[in-house]
Amino acid sequence: AWKHPHKLTPEISKVWKIYCTEALVSRYRLYREEVEKQQQLAGKPFPKGDGKRLMSAGNEQRRFHGTKMSCLIGLKNDGQVCNDKSCSVCCIIREGYKLRFVGTGTIFSRFGRGIYFSGTSSKSDDYNDGSLKDFYGVSYKVMILNKVVVGKGHPLTVDNMTLTTPPPGYDSVLGEPSQTGNLNYDEIVVYREEASIPQYLIVYKAQ
């Protein structure tokens, strides 16, 4: 959801389906199967839900990610991925998420050396000013909607910047807003590159 009260809800221009390489798809599926085998989550209710919504294998969820780009992918109609190493959007589409880039920018890594996602699209928008592009006189931004194997998530309400893996027995970290913590919006952090895969590129008009 777009939740930030000080931001106008933007107009979506296009949604592109991302077709990853078979190698990326295969490693993601294998990881999802590995997590499901260990945690046995399929068909179980979400821990803090109403008991009606049930988890899928590996507790797979869709989450947003905002990052920078150098080209005009998503704006032009050819759908071509560029080869610029500084274009994070195209690198993610080609190669998936890479832990080696964690901490190389100005992003605040609240839960350590992991790959960050959110169910709050307006939060992901905070991290993708580098995707802002002018195209025929209109300003656009993009963000990626991904599949993420959440598995058994460890909830945290305050920062722990020393993390490089989830706590023992867990597969991810869940940043949860609370009255006693310091988070305003949700986050999911995974510490394995194969735990996520991009699915859609969302193009929207910048406000």
Side-chain angles (χ1 to χ4, degrees), residues 24 31 38 44 52 63 66 68 78-79 84 90 94 102 106 114 116 120 124 138 142 154 159 168 170 190 198:
L24 282 180
Y31 179 73
Q38 292 175 350
K44 292 182 178 179
K52 296 179 180 179
R63 290 292 185 272
K68 64 181 180 179
D78 56 10
D84 188 338
C90 287
R94 275 199 324 271
V102 174
T106 58
Y116 289 69
T120 304
S124 296
V138 179
V142 304
H154 179 69
D159 303 347
Y170 293 90
V190 295

Side-chain angles (χ1 to χ4, degrees), residues 4 12 18 21 48 52 70 81 120 159 172 178:
H4 285 55
I12 294 176
I18 295 173
T21 65
K48 296 184 179 180
K52 296 179 180 179
S70 302
V81 178
T120 304
D159 303 347
S172 62
S178 74

